[in-house]
Each structure stands twice: as structure tokens, then as C-alpha cells.
Amino acid sequence: MPTWSLRRRPGRTLGLLLLGILSLLVIRRYLYLEQGSCDHEVAQRLNWRNLISPWLRHRQSGLQAKGQNFMLEDSTFWIFGGSVHYFRVPKEYWRDRLLKMKACGLNTLTTYVPWNLHEPERGRFDFSGNLDLEAFVLTAAEIGLWVILRPGPYICSEIDLGGLPSWLLQDSGMRLRTTYKGFTEAVDLYFDHLMSRVVPLQYKHGGPIIAVQVENEYGSYNKDPAYMPYVKKALEDRGVVELLLTSDNKDGLSKGAVDGALATINLQLQHDLQLLTTFLFSVQGARPKMVMEYWTGWFDSWGGPHNILDSSEVLKTVSAIIDAGSSINLYMFHGGTNFGFINGAMHFYEYKSDVTSYDYDAVLTEAGDYTAKYVQLRDFFGSISGAPLPPPPDPLPKTAYESVTPAFYLSLWDALKYLETGHTMLRILVENRGRVNYGEIDDQRKGLIGNIYLNDYPLRKFRIYSLDMKKSFFQRFSSHEWNHVPEVPTFPAFFLGALSVALSPSDTFMKLEGWEKGVVFINGQNLGRYWNIGPQETLYLPGAWLDQGINQVIVFEEKMAGPVIQFTETPHLGRNQYIN
């Protein structure tokens, strides 16, 4: 496999060079400002010197694991990290969330990279808009955060199929997360595209990425001893030169490690802290310790409770981890939202799909608001930082808009034009509630995966429609196809209404009392699923996705429609279950 070279991306290299020159000019202007001038006060407030120093520092060795310490160049370095997933947060809010991270006393951003979103169809790549990974990493650098990148290819992350593209399963012999040729060929092509964007953003090339993770929790899967060395080599062959890490829970730690990468551990409760010494030492001896995922809460499943981890418990455990001489990453610092159909599922004893909200009971709420955890952790990290922390940004405003009454309606069957010459039609709606993201994943094909029988006779030659419900799907609906909502609608169906926003749009939460199960679209944006079995009772609607004036609201409901769509300033996440 050819080694990737910066020469393949001359435009990007030139861009980084120009950024460095611009930064030098900014510093030079800053130094020549008179102490009493207004411009000097502005420059002090913006703190340009701290903002751009990571880009200009003399760099040679990067982050290293020396003895029991991390070293960044010649200085001992503690990783105080927090996880934020760019694909779960509107791009317009990335800076807000990362400024809040910096103000909490953290110095490092960690993020997964979802293959299934970046290559939704084989060979078609998307790094635009909310998937602009480079812009996210550069925003972190501008704010003064280092970055640990977790590019997979498998990421778990409670996302559909653990971040692997479902089109891989079109191969009937596919063996995911192994060195099966059909899988590695797809990974190689994806990594060619991804690493051409990532490599110039590494520390040794002037960027903020100080470490890269090799796969994710492979020890819990462990189906091919050649797989982890393959992934490590695939990263290195494409120009990854920073410190490599692995990440596993206690059950997979010994089997998930790979030579040449530092093993880290994932845990939550205080009684697991012994793993920091016993498990990590048994795997790699006296090396720097890191909890790559300290779980600040947990995700929720449809039909279950809302999981809560008390803030005092979080503070005690974080303090104990650091007292044990370990670096730490808070998973999650900010969870965000499973917009669209990206949520994953679990299937051990029974199938359970994840809810739309990825609030996670994290340090920031789903909407980016402060919590008791944030306040307590900021006090703690502030006490050990050795310098005053920047002030936290103001919370974003929330609004409870007037209720919306759907005025128009369109049956799903009318939308699909299921009309034939005198035949009786059998119509089957199959919903993918989310592919399993952890555990056995090779059999996660969706749709009609076997014969359908009528009186023991197999029915074949179905006409199959894939309902991805993207913007282009709704754009094909002309105005004359919509009808006024009938007294007794035929389900499943689409319902159309209008949300009026008079002033500057603000965040809000949609509440669908009386509705049963479906999906909501605002101005073509898929907010995700709702389901009256809970625990999630509202859908987060970012103000950044609203327009001043009239906003289109489409609800796809499977079974029963309510009279109105309500809005509230606060989320409702159902009954709580405390983690202990």
C-alpha cells in the first residue's frame, strides 16, 4: 500500500502555511500596540497570544508516553479531555460547546469519526456542513484545545452499526471488523479519503491532533488476531505519526491491545479504579495511565428509564482517577442528539433501540446547557489548573413557541403511488429502529430478509421502496398532492403544518402529546424519532435550524395523530434511574 504524502494535498498544506503567516502578523500587530490604546485592550481580551500559540510552538516529538508520564515536548502533560461528537451537534453550535469545555478547565477534545455518515453510499464521500471534520478540529485549535481523534473504522458510540456503513452487508459473506478482503478493501478506500484530511492537522504538522486511537474496544469483539495490527498499519501507512492509543473496558483490555499503541481503559464507578493499576499494569507495565472513557452518565433505550449519575458521584470518581496519577477523558462532556436515523441499538437478551436524545446525563445537557456536574467539575479543574479559567459563555436562549395544528395530510401509500389494475395489494412497512452497535453485528441486515408466506405459499416479486426521507424525498411532493386532514386518517401518514417565528429563532423542544410513534422534519431537517413509550418525551429543535418567518413542519406518524404539536423551553426525559 503506498504511503500517503502531504504532496497529495498541496492546497491544504498551503492553507495551513497561510494560516501560520496570518497568525505571525497578528502577534506582530499585538506587540506594537500601545499599552493605553483601545485596540490593546481588545487584543488582551481576545488573548491572541494564547489562542495561536499551539500552531506556532517549535514542535519535534509531540505527545509521548515516557515512563509513567505523558510528555508534550519536554514537559509533563496531563490529558484533561472531554468528548463532543461534531455529527451530533449543529455546526452553528460547535464553538459554543467547545468554549464551554475550555471554560470547564479541560485541555483536550476527543471525538469519534463516523464512517457510515462520511461514506453513506459506497464511493460517495461527504465531509460538508455538519460533517466538516476539519472545520471542527480547527475550531478546537482556535479555542486552544488539543485533539485526540478516534477514527475507527468501528466506533460503537451508540450509532447505527457502530459507525460502519450498512452497505457493507450487501456482501453475503461479509465479516465485519476482520481482515476479510471485502472489509479491508472498503476500509482502505475510506482511510485514503479520511487521512488525507486528518494528516495535515496532526501536531507535528502544526495542528492540534496529539493522538489517534486504533479502532475501538476491539478486545470485546476479538474475532481476528491480525485485525488490530492491520488497522494500526493502515493508519501509519497514510501518514499518522502521533501517539497511537487503544481503548477497552476491563473485559476486553488484554485482548484489545496492539504492539506500538498505548492501552487505555474505560470505566465509570469508583470500585473499578483498581483496574487502573492491576489491568493496565498487567498489559503494558509502568506506562502512563489514562481513562479514555470515564462515563459521566449513560444512554437511554426506548421503553426504559432515563439514566442518571449523581453529580457528587462524578466529582468523587474524577478526583480519585486524577489522584491515582491518571489522565482522563469525560465521555460525554456533551452528548448532543441522534438526529435523523443514526441511533444504534443493543441486542443481548432482547432488542433495545436507542432514543433520539444523546443527552447521556453528561456535563452539558443535550441543548448545551450547564448542569450541576459542570459547576462542580469546573471548580475542581480550576483548583488544579494553576491559572484562572476563562468565563463560561452565556446560555443560549430558549423559547416555547405557539402550538402548531397540522393542516394537511398525505397517506404514505399515496406518497408511494401504490396503485395497480384490480389486484389486491399486500403492503408491509418495515422500520429499521437502529442496527446493533455493540456485540454481534454481522447479521444486522434490515428489510425483508426471508420469505413471506400466504397459506404456506411464498410470496415473491415485491416492489421495495427505500424510505430514507431525505430532503429530496419531500421536495418531490407537489402542493396539490396534500389534502386537508380527514376526520379518520389512514396510517402511516405525513402531516404538514407551519411554525411561525416572529423574532430571532431560539432553541426549543417539541412535545407530541397524543401522537404515538414517528419522525419529525423541520425545514427538511430530520430531528429524529419520537415514541410515546418513553423515556424521551420531547425532541430538541435547534434554533439554528429555524428561519425567521414561516417554518415547514412535517410529522410522519405510524399509528395515531394528536391534535397539535406543542413547544416547551425545557426537555422532558421521563422517569429517572440512578446508576450505582
Side-chain angles (χ1 to χ4, degrees):
M1 183 180 302
T3 301
W4 191 88
S5 168
L6 280 179
R7 293 178 184 175
R8 289 173 58 181
R9 298 286 296 215
R12 189 170 310 285
T13 306
L14 178 60
L16 290 171
L17 178 61
L18 291 174
L19 177 61
I21 294 172
L22 176 61
S23 302
L24 285 170
L25 293 175
V26 170
I27 281 188
R28 183 177 182 184
R29 183 175 188 274
Y30 174 87
L31 292 175
Y32 277 90
L33 291 173
E34 296 182 4
Q35 291 290 328
S37 70
C38 294
D39 283 345
H40 176 75
E41 293 175 5
V42 170
Q44 283 187 315
R45 186 167 65 250
L46 292 175
N47 203 3
W48 284 107
R49 190 187 295 265
N50 290 337
L51 182 70
I52 60 176
S53 60
W55 291 92
L56 301 177
R57 183 183 300 174
H58 179 62
R59 301 177 179 199
Q60 290 182 331
S61 52
L63 185 68
Q64 301 174 80
K66 286 191 174 180
Q68 298 188 44
N69 297 319
F70 285 112
M71 303 291 291
L72 191 59
E73 298 299 342
D74 298 324
S75 301
T76 301
F77 184 76
W78 288 75
I79 299 171
F80 296 148
S83 290
V84 178
H85 299 153
Y86 57 101
F87 50 94
R88 284 184 162 123
V89 182
K91 184 176 183 179
E92 295 85 348
Y93 295 160
W94 288 351
R95 181 173 296 274
D96 171 79
R97 306 314 193 243
L98 298 185
L99 286 170
K100 289 171 179 173
M101 175 181 287
K102 182 74 172 179
C104 194
L106 304 184
N107 60 17
T108 304
L109 164 70
T110 70
T111 187
Y112 282 129
V113 181
W115 180 9
N116 57 351
L117 302 185
H118 286 299
E119 193 180 0
E121 300 171 14
R122 188 187 294 270
R124 182 174 72 82
F125 296 92
D126 185 0
F127 289 88
S128 64
N130 232 73
L131 296 176
D132 191 342
L133 172 61
E134 294 157 290
F136 185 64
V137 171
L138 289 170
T139 300
E142 291 168 8
I143 289 170
L145 293 167
W146 301 111
V147 175
I148 295 177
L149 200 69
R150 311 175 78 186
Y154 166 85
I155 62 173
C156 185
S157 186
E158 290 72 61
I159 193 174
D160 189 83
L161 202 59
L164 300 178
S166 59
W167 49 257
L168 289 168
L169 298 176
Q170 294 171 355
D171 178 348
S172 60
M174 176 57 64
R175 286 179 285 133
L176 301 173
R177 302 179 75 190
T178 69
T179 51
Y180 173 72
K181 185 179 179 182
F183 183 71
T184 57
E185 286 179 345
V187 172
D188 288 342
L189 178 61
Y190 168 58
F191 271 8
D192 284 344
H193 283 260
L194 175 62
M195 294 307 150
S196 69
R197 299 169 182 276
V198 167
V199 163
L201 301 176
Q202 295 179 102
Y203 176 91
K204 291 172 185 173
H205 296 313
I209 297 176
I210 56 173
V212 176
Q213 183 174 302
V214 182
E215 237 265 354
N216 189 63
E217 295 182 323
Y218 192 71
S220 301
Y221 198 71
N222 191 37
K223 291 196 173 184
D224 184 348
Y227 176 67
M228 285 294 281
Y230 153 72
V231 176
K232 176 176 177 287
K233 186 175 187 298
L235 293 170
E236 293 173 331
D237 285 350
R238 289 164 176 80
V240 172
V241 294
E242 304 302 337
L243 179 69
L244 295 178
L245 310 167
T246 61
S247 172
D248 287 277
N249 59 34
K250 61 179 180 180
D251 298 323
L253 186 62
S254 61
K255 297 176 181 177
V258 62
D259 289 343
L262 181 73
T264 67
I265 197 165
N266 306 334
L267 55 82
Q268 183 171 69
L269 303 177
Q270 281 203 61
H271 64 250
D272 289 335
L273 289 180
Q274 60 174 335
L275 304 175
L276 275 173
T277 53
T278 56
F279 275 74
L280 282 175
F281 185 82
S282 68
V283 169
Q284 60 192 9
R287 302 272 280 163
K289 294 179 289 191
M290 181 169 182
V291 178
M292 177 57 75
E293 291 186 10
Y294 166 64
W295 302 314
T296 60
W298 201 244
F299 60 92
D300 296 338
S301 300
W302 287 115
H306 174 51
N307 291 301
I308 293 288
L309 184 60
D310 189 79
S311 61
S312 62
E313 179 69 23
V314 170
L315 181 61
K316 288 177 186 176
T317 307
V318 169
S319 177
I321 289 171
I322 293 173
D323 286 346
S326 172
S327 286
I328 188 172
N329 176 57
L330 305 177
Y331 188 100
M332 297 291 299
F333 177 78
H334 170 53
T337 307
N338 289 319
F339 293 116
F341 300 129
I342 71 172
N343 66 276
M346 302 292 281
H347 195 173
F348 291 112
Y349 303 106
E350 60 178 317
Y351 174 86
K352 294 183 177 180
S353 57
D354 301 334
V355 302
T356 298
S357 172
Y358 201 62
D359 178 87
Y360 208 85
D361 193 38
V363 182
L364 295 179
T365 69
E366 178 183 12
D369 293 327
Y370 298 114
T371 65
K373 291 177 184 176
Y374 185 95
V375 174
Q376 293 178 30
L377 288 172
R378 185 173 189 271
D379 288 343
F380 171 74
F381 285 113
S383 70
I384 62 176
S385 68
L389 299 181
D394 292 334
L396 296 178
K398 308 290 186 297
T399 299
Y401 293 106
E402 291 293 325
S403 297
V404 169
T405 301
F408 298 99
Y409 149 94
L410 180 64
S411 164
L412 172 63
W413 313 123
D414 292 336
L416 296 182
K417 307 299 184 185
Y418 269 177
L419 300 175
E420 300 286 345
T421 59
H423 294 283
T424 299
M425 300 297 297
L426 172 63
R427 295 163 175 169
I428 302 174
L429 178 63
V430 180
E431 180 189 6
N432 168 21
R433 298 214 315 262
R435 292 178 180 83
V436 168
N437 59 269
Y438 185 86
E440 293 297 327
I441 57 177
D442 281 346
D443 61 352
Q444 289 299 297
R445 294 171 179 87
K446 299 291 185 178
L448 297 181
I449 58 175
N451 285 330
I452 304 295
Y453 292 89
L454 179 64
N455 296 330
D456 296 326
Y457 181 80
L459 303 179
R460 296 191 174 93
K461 296 184 179 179
F462 280 90
R463 181 183 296 173
I464 298 175
Y465 295 81
S466 179
L467 292 172
D468 55 16
M469 297 194 191
K470 296 178 180 176
K471 285 185 179 180
S472 57
F473 175 75
F474 295 107
Q475 288 168 354
R476 292 197 291 269
F477 293 2
S478 60
S479 58
H480 71 269
E481 292 180 277
W482 291 93
N483 303 303
H484 289 287
V485 178
E487 236 180 79
V488 184
T490 299
F491 293 96
F494 298 93
F495 294 83
L496 173 64
L499 169 62
S500 178
V501 176
L503 303 175
S504 180
S506 299
D507 288 1
T508 190
F509 297 88
M510 300 184 70
K511 191 169 185 179
L512 291 111
E513 286 187 352
W515 302 74
E516 185 165 331
K517 184 170 182 282
V519 189
V520 177
F521 305 84
I522 300 288
N523 297 329
Q525 294 275 7
N526 188 335
L527 298 188
R529 312 170 202 261
Y530 65 89
W531 196 356
N532 64 0
I533 65 172
Q536 182 176 352
E537 299 175 2
T538 53
L539 285 176
Y540 172 53
L541 171 52
W545 290 355
L546 291 172
D547 300 323
Q548 188 172 355
I550 300 299
N551 295 266
Q552 182 193 68
V553 181
I554 294 180
V555 178
F556 174 70
E557 168 60 50
E558 295 181 21
K559 299 180 179 180
M560 182 176 69
V564 297
I565 303 162
Q566 299 172 302
F567 299 88
T568 176
E569 294 182 11
T570 56
H572 297 275
L573 295 172
R575 65 189 187 281
N576 294 336
Q577 170 178 276
Y578 285 86
I579 303 169
N580 53 44

